[in-house]
Amino acid sequence: MEDRMNPSIPYGLAKKLGQEKENAFTLYWDFVVDGTASMSSLYPAVFFAVGHFLEWLKRYDVKPVVGITVIRSMPEEKIEKIEMEPGSYFTEDVALFLKKLKYLPLFGGSEDGEESVEEALLASLEKFPPESLNRGMMVFTDSHHCSHHLSLRSVPVGAVTFFCPPEMSFEEFDFAFCTPDGLIDEEGSPAFIDICSLFEELKPEYLDNVVKPFKDLIQGVSIGV
């Protein structure tokens, strides 16, 4: 994109405002994925759906910067944060992201079937860089329940969507949600979608309902140069 500056604004200020405008339209989107062995039958549908969600997002004026956090649920490795590029857990390169997602190894898991979901959520939140204005998380797991012993309020998040068994929707997660204007949203809550719905035809209405909470994070921000 050609970098055009308003001649009536000093160059340094115009450049700073231009960077703020770019940040305002950037969506930091972390995908928390259950990487345990039990996900093997679901994983192809997860990969297929994520590709469609990112493709659908192109319809809107949103620049996605994406990452992957993996639920491992093993005593020696509860979670795994995937490095996209040297020293970075996020990337603008969607093709690179999809390649890492496609070849993510599935192994291990807990003995009681209760995965380290909350640990992965906290790790995901802590990955977001300080300059990220718009933060969203999408979670894919076949775990039916989650132990709650961690606070998830350290980093505010704009939207969280779980693809999971219906039982997980009764769990209460201690997120701190924020509005597109950066204010704390006391009414905010995660969305829960049956993970088995990913095996059905992903119609436009379905894709838009999934993507809308994340693209709406961009609304409410007005920065002009």
Side-chain angles (χ1 to χ4, degrees):
M1 180 182 296
E2 185 179 354
D3 191 12
R4 296 182 179 179
M5 299 296 179
N6 187 330
S8 66
I9 302 177
Y11 176 78
L13 178 58
K15 188 173 182 179
K16 179 182 178 181
L17 289 173
Q19 183 61 55
E20 289 179 353
K21 184 174 182 179
E22 181 180 358
N23 289 343
F25 286 87
T26 298
L27 169 64
Y28 279 84
W29 203 2
D30 199 42
F31 291 78
V32 179
V33 181
D34 192 332
T36 60
S38 64
M39 281 288 290
S40 58
S41 61
L42 293 168
Y43 200 77
V46 170
F47 174 76
F48 179 80
V50 169
H52 275 68
F53 298 154
L54 287 166
E55 187 66 27
W56 196 259
L57 193 66
K58 292 180 180 179
R59 295 168 175 261
Y60 306 104
D61 191 14
V62 178
K63 174 183 150 186
V65 180
V66 287
I68 303 171
T69 302
V70 186
I71 300 167
R72 287 293 179 207
S73 303
M74 296 187 298
E76 68 280 8
E77 188 179 22
K78 293 285 188 181
I79 62 98
E80 179 183 1
K81 295 183 288 187
I82 302 298
E83 192 172 56
M84 290 290 152
E85 298 166 347
S88 178
Y89 292 121
F90 288 93
T91 182
E92 300 176 20
D93 188 340
V94 171
L96 172 64
F97 163 84
L98 289 173
K99 181 178 180 181
K100 288 183 177 287
L101 185 66
K102 181 177 182 179
Y103 295 106
L104 189 73
L106 306 178
F107 57 86
S110 67
E111 294 183 358
D112 60 4
E114 188 170 299
E115 313 299 357
S116 52
V117 175
E118 202 167 61
E119 289 85 348
L121 295 175
L122 180 59
S124 174
L125 289 169
E126 292 175 343
K127 280 168 47 178
F128 289 115
E131 68 272 15
S132 59
L133 300 177
N134 313 301
R135 308 180 185 117
M137 300 164 62
M138 190 168 278
V139 186
F140 299 87
T141 180
D142 64 349
S143 182
H144 292 259
H145 303 287
C146 176
S147 296
H148 299 285
H149 55 275
L150 298 174
S151 173
L152 303 175
R153 304 187 65 83
S154 58
V155 180
V157 64
V160 180
T161 297
F162 284 80
F163 288 86
C164 56
E167 294 89 337
M168 185 68 87
S169 65
F170 295 102
E171 301 286 343
E172 295 185 5
F173 293 92
D174 188 31
F175 289 106
F177 283 93
C178 58
T179 68
D181 298 312
L183 303 175
I184 296 299
D185 182 5
E186 298 294 346
E187 302 300 320
S189 63
F192 294 90
I193 300 174
D194 189 343
I195 193 169
C196 291
S197 68
L198 299 180
F199 288 98
E200 301 172 5
E201 182 183 356
L202 303 184
K203 297 181 179 179
E205 303 81 26
Y206 180 93
L207 292 168
D208 211 48
N209 286 336
V210 170
V211 170
K212 188 177 185 299
F214 298 94
K215 68 94 173 174
D216 281 352
L217 297 181
I218 304 301
Q219 297 179 3
V221 181
S222 180
I223 297 176
V225 177

